[in-house]
mmCIF file of all heavy atoms in Angstrom:
data_model
loop_
_atom_site.group_PDB
_atom_site.id
_atom_site.type_symbol
_atom_site.label_atom_id
_atom_site.label_comp_id
_atom_site.label_asym_id
_atom_site.label_seq_id
_atom_site.Cartn_x
_atom_site.Cartn_y
_atom_site.Cartn_z
ATOM 1 N N LEU A 150 88.991 93.104 114.722
ATOM 2 C CA LEU A 150 88.681 91.660 114.745
ATOM 3 C C LEU A 150 88.523 91.300 116.204
ATOM 4 O O LEU A 150 89.499 91.272 116.945
ATOM 5 C CB LEU A 150 89.834 90.872 114.102
ATOM 6 C CG LEU A 150 89.743 89.347 114.141
ATOM 7 C CD1 LEU A 150 88.479 88.841 113.469
ATOM 8 C CD2 LEU A 150 90.959 88.720 113.449
ATOM 9 N N SER A 151 87.281 91.051 116.633
ATOM 10 C CA SER A 151 87.043 91.063 118.072
ATOM 11 C C SER A 151 86.805 89.686 118.691
ATOM 12 O O SER A 151 86.335 89.604 119.819
ATOM 13 C CB SER A 151 85.900 92.013 118.417
ATOM 14 O OG SER A 151 85.012 92.127 117.340
ATOM 15 N N ASN A 152 87.139 88.635 118.000
ATOM 16 C CA ASN A 152 87.020 87.299 118.608
ATOM 17 C C ASN A 152 87.918 87.230 119.853
ATOM 18 O O ASN A 152 89.080 87.650 119.814
ATOM 19 C CB ASN A 152 87.434 86.226 117.586
ATOM 20 C CG ASN A 152 87.118 84.831 118.077
ATOM 21 O OD1 ASN A 152 87.743 84.340 119.016
ATOM 22 N ND2 ASN A 152 86.152 84.196 117.452
ATOM 23 N N ILE A 153 87.379 86.684 120.943
ATOM 24 C CA ILE A 153 88.135 86.706 122.204
ATOM 25 C C ILE A 153 89.454 85.933 122.110
ATOM 26 O O ILE A 153 90.400 86.214 122.835
ATOM 27 C CB ILE A 153 87.300 86.196 123.413
ATOM 28 C CG1 ILE A 153 86.725 84.816 123.148
ATOM 29 C CG2 ILE A 153 86.190 87.169 123.762
ATOM 30 C CD1 ILE A 153 86.002 84.229 124.354
ATOM 31 N N ASN A 154 89.526 84.969 121.197
ATOM 32 C CA ASN A 154 90.788 84.225 121.037
ATOM 33 C C ASN A 154 91.877 85.085 120.403
ATOM 34 O O ASN A 154 93.058 84.918 120.691
ATOM 35 C CB ASN A 154 90.561 82.969 120.202
ATOM 36 C CG ASN A 154 89.604 82.026 120.896
ATOM 37 O OD1 ASN A 154 89.988 81.333 121.822
ATOM 38 N ND2 ASN A 154 88.341 82.047 120.483
ATOM 39 N N ILE A 155 91.457 86.004 119.544
ATOM 40 C CA ILE A 155 92.419 86.950 118.961
ATOM 41 C C ILE A 155 92.899 87.903 120.050
ATOM 42 O O ILE A 155 94.092 88.222 120.145
ATOM 43 C CB ILE A 155 91.771 87.731 117.787
ATOM 44 C CG1 ILE A 155 91.257 86.771 116.698
ATOM 45 C CG2 ILE A 155 92.730 88.769 117.213
ATOM 46 C CD1 ILE A 155 92.303 85.957 115.998
ATOM 47 N N LEU A 156 91.962 88.332 120.906
ATOM 48 C CA LEU A 156 92.345 89.212 122.014
ATOM 49 C C LEU A 156 93.330 88.490 122.935
ATOM 50 O O LEU A 156 94.316 89.064 123.391
ATOM 51 C CB LEU A 156 91.117 89.659 122.815
ATOM 52 C CG LEU A 156 89.938 90.267 122.033
ATOM 53 C CD1 LEU A 156 88.902 90.849 122.992
ATOM 54 C CD2 LEU A 156 90.405 91.346 121.067
ATOM 55 N N LYS A 157 93.065 87.214 123.168
ATOM 56 C CA LYS A 157 93.934 86.427 124.047
ATOM 57 C C LYS A 157 95.319 86.266 123.423
ATOM 58 O O LYS A 157 96.338 86.442 124.084
ATOM 59 C CB LYS A 157 93.303 85.046 124.286
ATOM 60 C CG LYS A 157 93.704 84.423 125.606
ATOM 61 C CD LYS A 157 93.247 82.990 125.737
ATOM 62 C CE LYS A 157 91.758 82.828 126.004
ATOM 63 N NZ LYS A 157 91.358 81.401 126.058
ATOM 64 N N LEU A 158 95.330 85.944 122.131
ATOM 65 C CA LEU A 158 96.600 85.747 121.430
ATOM 66 C C LEU A 158 97.472 86.997 121.562
ATOM 67 O O LEU A 158 98.667 86.916 121.870
ATOM 68 C CB LEU A 158 96.315 85.456 119.946
ATOM 69 C CG LEU A 158 97.498 85.170 119.055
ATOM 70 C CD1 LEU A 158 98.103 83.816 119.397
ATOM 71 C CD2 LEU A 158 97.080 85.189 117.585
ATOM 72 N N LEU A 159 96.869 88.166 121.344
ATOM 73 C CA LEU A 159 97.647 89.398 121.376
ATOM 74 C C LEU A 159 98.004 89.818 122.795
ATOM 75 O O LEU A 159 99.125 90.273 123.041
ATOM 76 C CB LEU A 159 96.893 90.517 120.649
ATOM 77 C CG LEU A 159 97.100 90.452 119.136
ATOM 78 C CD1 LEU A 159 96.015 91.193 118.379
ATOM 79 C CD2 LEU A 159 98.479 90.999 118.752
ATOM 80 N N THR A 160 97.076 89.652 123.729
ATOM 81 C CA THR A 160 97.415 90.063 125.095
ATOM 82 C C THR A 160 98.447 89.099 125.696
ATOM 83 O O THR A 160 99.258 89.512 126.514
ATOM 84 C CB THR A 160 96.162 90.203 125.991
ATOM 85 O OG1 THR A 160 95.367 89.030 125.896
ATOM 86 C CG2 THR A 160 95.332 91.397 125.562
ATOM 87 N N ASN A 161 98.465 87.842 125.247
ATOM 88 C CA ASN A 161 99.537 86.927 125.665
ATOM 89 C C ASN A 161 100.908 87.430 125.204
ATOM 90 O O ASN A 161 101.923 87.146 125.833
ATOM 91 C CB ASN A 161 99.321 85.526 125.103
ATOM 92 C CG ASN A 161 98.262 84.757 125.882
ATOM 93 O OD1 ASN A 161 97.829 85.190 126.946
ATOM 94 N ND2 ASN A 161 97.835 83.632 125.339
ATOM 95 N N CYS A 162 100.928 88.168 124.086
ATOM 96 C CA CYS A 162 102.202 88.741 123.593
ATOM 97 C C CYS A 162 102.609 89.967 124.408
ATOM 98 O O CYS A 162 103.703 90.491 124.234
ATOM 99 C CB CYS A 162 102.062 89.203 122.145
ATOM 100 S SG CYS A 162 101.825 87.905 120.954
ATOM 101 N N GLY A 163 101.684 90.481 125.225
ATOM 102 C CA GLY A 163 101.988 91.692 125.986
ATOM 103 C C GLY A 163 101.151 92.889 125.587
ATOM 104 O O GLY A 163 101.277 93.985 126.152
ATOM 105 N N SER A 164 100.294 92.715 124.593
ATOM 106 C CA SER A 164 99.479 93.835 124.122
ATOM 107 C C SER A 164 98.401 94.202 125.132
ATOM 108 O O SER A 164 97.923 93.347 125.891
ATOM 109 C CB SER A 164 98.824 93.434 122.793
ATOM 110 O OG SER A 164 98.056 94.498 122.283
ATOM 111 N N GLY A 165 98.010 95.481 125.116
ATOM 112 C CA GLY A 165 96.794 95.922 125.798
ATOM 113 C C GLY A 165 95.692 95.999 124.757
ATOM 114 O O GLY A 165 95.873 95.540 123.619
ATOM 115 N N LEU A 166 94.551 96.600 125.123
ATOM 116 C CA LEU A 166 93.437 96.685 124.184
ATOM 117 C C LEU A 166 92.941 98.120 124.054
ATOM 118 O O LEU A 166 92.841 98.845 125.045
ATOM 119 C CB LEU A 166 92.279 95.803 124.645
ATOM 120 C CG LEU A 166 92.541 94.299 124.785
ATOM 121 C CD1 LEU A 166 91.287 93.613 125.311
ATOM 122 C CD2 LEU A 166 92.967 93.685 123.447
ATOM 123 N N ASP A 167 92.616 98.495 122.829
ATOM 124 C CA ASP A 167 91.950 99.763 122.566
ATOM 125 C C ASP A 167 90.497 99.451 122.238
ATOM 126 O O ASP A 167 90.220 98.669 121.327
ATOM 127 C CB ASP A 167 92.618 100.465 121.384
ATOM 128 C CG ASP A 167 91.925 101.780 121.063
ATOM 129 O OD1 ASP A 167 92.031 102.704 121.881
ATOM 130 O OD2 ASP A 167 91.266 101.863 120.019
ATOM 131 N N THR A 168 89.582 100.053 122.983
ATOM 132 C CA THR A 168 88.169 99.712 122.823
ATOM 133 C C THR A 168 87.345 100.953 122.495
ATOM 134 O O THR A 168 87.677 102.058 122.935
ATOM 135 C CB THR A 168 87.627 99.098 124.133
ATOM 136 O OG1 THR A 168 87.864 100.034 125.196
ATOM 137 C CG2 THR A 168 88.328 97.798 124.470
ATOM 138 N N VAL A 169 86.275 100.780 121.746
ATOM 139 C CA VAL A 169 85.462 101.930 121.341
ATOM 140 C C VAL A 169 84.011 101.832 121.815
ATOM 141 O O VAL A 169 83.202 102.698 121.507
ATOM 142 C CB VAL A 169 85.502 102.136 119.811
ATOM 143 C CG1 VAL A 169 86.896 102.521 119.350
ATOM 144 C CG2 VAL A 169 85.024 100.894 119.065
ATOM 145 N N SER A 170 83.682 100.774 122.535
ATOM 146 C CA SER A 170 82.331 100.661 123.091
ATOM 147 C C SER A 170 82.445 99.935 124.423
ATOM 148 O O SER A 170 83.429 99.216 124.664
ATOM 149 C CB SER A 170 81.409 99.870 122.153
ATOM 150 O OG SER A 170 81.821 98.510 122.097
ATOM 151 N N ILE A 171 81.433 100.103 125.256
ATOM 152 C CA ILE A 171 81.464 99.427 126.557
ATOM 153 C C ILE A 171 81.445 97.912 126.356
ATOM 154 O O ILE A 171 82.019 97.151 127.141
ATOM 155 C CB ILE A 171 80.304 99.933 127.466
ATOM 156 C CG1 ILE A 171 80.556 99.551 128.911
ATOM 157 C CG2 ILE A 171 78.948 99.421 127.003
ATOM 158 C CD1 ILE A 171 81.645 100.330 129.581
ATOM 159 N N GLN A 172 80.825 97.481 125.249
ATOM 160 C CA GLN A 172 80.782 96.040 124.975
ATOM 161 C C GLN A 172 82.189 95.522 124.659
ATOM 162 O O GLN A 172 82.555 94.410 125.077
ATOM 163 C CB GLN A 172 79.835 95.744 123.810
ATOM 164 C CG GLN A 172 78.357 95.958 124.136
ATOM 165 C CD GLN A 172 77.915 97.421 124.103
ATOM 166 O OE1 GLN A 172 78.670 98.308 123.707
ATOM 167 N NE2 GLN A 172 76.687 97.680 124.511
ATOM 168 N N GLU A 173 82.972 96.309 123.940
ATOM 169 C CA GLU A 173 84.352 95.877 123.669
ATOM 170 C C GLU A 173 85.163 95.827 124.976
ATOM 171 O O GLU A 173 86.001 94.945 125.160
ATOM 172 C CB GLU A 173 85.033 96.810 122.656
ATOM 173 C CG GLU A 173 84.570 96.561 121.230
ATOM 174 C CD GLU A 173 85.395 97.320 120.185
ATOM 175 O OE1 GLU A 173 86.276 98.133 120.561
ATOM 176 O OE2 GLU A 173 85.138 97.112 118.995
ATOM 177 N N VAL A 174 84.916 96.790 125.870
ATOM 178 C CA VAL A 174 85.584 96.753 127.176
ATOM 179 C C VAL A 174 85.261 95.430 127.862
ATOM 180 O O VAL A 174 86.147 94.725 128.369
ATOM 181 C CB VAL A 174 85.121 97.932 128.070
ATOM 182 C CG1 VAL A 174 85.641 97.767 129.494
ATOM 183 C CG2 VAL A 174 85.566 99.272 127.493
ATOM 184 N N LYS A 175 83.984 95.064 127.831
ATOM 185 C CA LYS A 175 83.559 93.832 128.505
ATOM 186 C C LYS A 175 84.132 92.583 127.834
ATOM 187 O O LYS A 175 84.451 91.600 128.511
ATOM 188 C CB LYS A 175 82.030 93.765 128.578
ATOM 189 C CG LYS A 175 81.470 94.791 129.557
ATOM 190 C CD LYS A 175 79.958 94.794 129.608
ATOM 191 C CE LYS A 175 79.476 95.851 130.609
ATOM 192 N NZ LYS A 175 78.003 96.011 130.586
ATOM 193 N N LEU A 176 84.265 92.623 126.518
ATOM 194 C CA LEU A 176 84.906 91.502 125.817
ATOM 195 C C LEU A 176 86.340 91.327 126.313
ATOM 196 O O LEU A 176 86.797 90.211 126.551
ATOM 197 C CB LEU A 176 84.954 91.759 124.305
ATOM 198 C CG LEU A 176 83.774 91.343 123.440
ATOM 199 C CD1 LEU A 176 84.067 91.664 121.978
ATOM 200 C CD2 LEU A 176 83.499 89.851 123.598
ATOM 201 N N GLY A 177 87.027 92.450 126.456
ATOM 202 C CA GLY A 177 88.410 92.415 126.942
ATOM 203 C C GLY A 177 88.475 91.831 128.344
ATOM 204 O O GLY A 177 89.290 90.955 128.635
ATOM 205 N N LEU A 178 87.586 92.308 129.218
ATOM 206 C CA LEU A 178 87.588 91.822 130.602
ATOM 207 C C LEU A 178 87.246 90.340 130.642
ATOM 208 O O LEU A 178 87.841 89.569 131.397
ATOM 209 C CB LEU A 178 86.597 92.634 131.452
ATOM 210 C CG LEU A 178 86.954 94.119 131.641
ATOM 211 C CD1 LEU A 178 85.827 94.852 132.359
ATOM 212 C CD2 LEU A 178 88.270 94.287 132.409
ATOM 213 N N LYS A 179 86.296 89.935 129.797
ATOM 214 C CA LYS A 179 85.901 88.526 129.748
ATOM 215 C C LYS A 179 87.073 87.653 129.297
ATOM 216 O O LYS A 179 87.227 86.516 129.729
ATOM 217 C CB LYS A 179 84.717 88.354 128.798
ATOM 218 C CG LYS A 179 84.296 86.909 128.672
ATOM 219 C CD LYS A 179 82.906 86.722 128.096
ATOM 220 C CE LYS A 179 82.604 85.276 127.786
ATOM 221 N NZ LYS A 179 82.915 84.311 128.826
ATOM 222 N N THR A 180 87.922 88.219 128.443
ATOM 223 C CA THR A 180 89.100 87.488 127.976
ATOM 224 C C THR A 180 90.121 87.329 129.105
ATOM 225 O O THR A 180 91.072 86.560 128.994
ATOM 226 C CB THR A 180 89.726 88.235 126.785
ATOM 227 O OG1 THR A 180 88.714 88.461 125.819
ATOM 228 C CG2 THR A 180 90.845 87.473 126.126
ATOM 229 N N GLY A 181 89.945 88.119 130.166
ATOM 230 C CA GLY A 181 90.876 88.026 131.287
ATOM 231 C C GLY A 181 91.926 89.123 131.289
ATOM 232 O O GLY A 181 92.918 89.035 132.013
ATOM 233 N N VAL A 182 91.705 90.158 130.475
ATOM 234 C CA VAL A 182 92.666 91.254 130.410
ATOM 235 C C VAL A 182 92.423 92.178 131.608
ATOM 236 O O VAL A 182 91.271 92.496 131.937
ATOM 237 C CB VAL A 182 92.493 92.034 129.082
ATOM 238 C CG1 VAL A 182 93.512 93.157 128.983
ATOM 239 C CG2 VAL A 182 92.631 91.084 127.906
ATOM 240 N N ALA A 183 93.507 92.612 132.249
ATOM 241 C CA ALA A 183 93.381 93.508 133.399
ATOM 242 C C ALA A 183 92.854 94.864 132.923
ATOM 243 O O ALA A 183 93.248 95.340 131.860
ATOM 244 C CB ALA A 183 94.740 93.683 134.069
ATOM 245 N N PRO A 184 91.958 95.488 133.720
ATOM 246 C CA PRO A 184 91.379 96.767 133.287
ATOM 247 C C PRO A 184 92.435 97.844 132.996
ATOM 248 O O PRO A 184 92.244 98.666 132.094
ATOM 249 C CB PRO A 184 90.459 97.171 134.439
ATOM 250 C CG PRO A 184 90.692 96.204 135.541
ATOM 251 C CD PRO A 184 91.362 95.009 134.981
ATOM 252 N N GLU A 185 93.556 97.815 133.734
ATOM 253 C CA GLU A 185 94.605 98.836 133.477
ATOM 254 C C GLU A 185 95.199 98.694 132.085
ATOM 255 O O GLU A 185 95.874 99.601 131.598
ATOM 256 C CB GLU A 185 95.782 98.770 134.424
ATOM 257 C CG GLU A 185 95.700 98.424 135.877
ATOM 258 C CD GLU A 185 95.243 97.036 136.211
ATOM 259 O OE1 GLU A 185 94.010 96.845 136.292
ATOM 260 O OE2 GLU A 185 96.090 96.141 136.405
ATOM 261 N N LYS A 186 94.997 97.524 131.462
ATOM 262 C CA LYS A 186 95.569 97.328 130.126
ATOM 263 C C LYS A 186 94.566 97.650 129.029
ATOM 264 O O LYS A 186 94.782 97.341 127.864
ATOM 265 C CB LYS A 186 96.067 95.875 129.979
ATOM 266 C CG LYS A 186 97.168 95.543 130.988
ATOM 267 C CD LYS A 186 97.968 94.340 130.552
ATOM 268 C CE LYS A 186 98.958 94.698 129.465
ATOM 269 N NZ LYS A 186 99.792 93.575 129.050
ATOM 270 N N ILE A 187 93.450 98.253 129.415
ATOM 271 C CA ILE A 187 92.414 98.575 128.430
ATOM 272 C C ILE A 187 92.203 100.077 128.399
ATOM 273 O O ILE A 187 92.063 100.719 129.448
ATOM 274 C CB ILE A 187 91.087 97.862 128.787
ATOM 275 C CG1 ILE A 187 91.293 96.344 128.817
ATOM 276 C CG2 ILE A 187 89.992 98.250 127.797
ATOM 277 C CD1 ILE A 187 90.056 95.546 129.213
#
Side-chain angles (χ1 to χ4, degrees):
L150 175 58
S151 27
N152 189 291
I153 54 175
N154 297 283
I155 302 296
L156 308 189
K157 207 189 285 177
L158 182 70
L159 277 159
T160 51
N161 282 350
C162 293
S164 182
L166 300 177
D167 179 69
T168 56
V169 294
S170 68
I171 196 72
Q172 290 79 7
E173 284 189 355
V174 171
K175 290 177 180 173
L176 272 182
L178 294 174
K179 178 163 171 48
T180 307
V182 182
E185 324 64 274
K186 299 200 78 178
I187 301 178

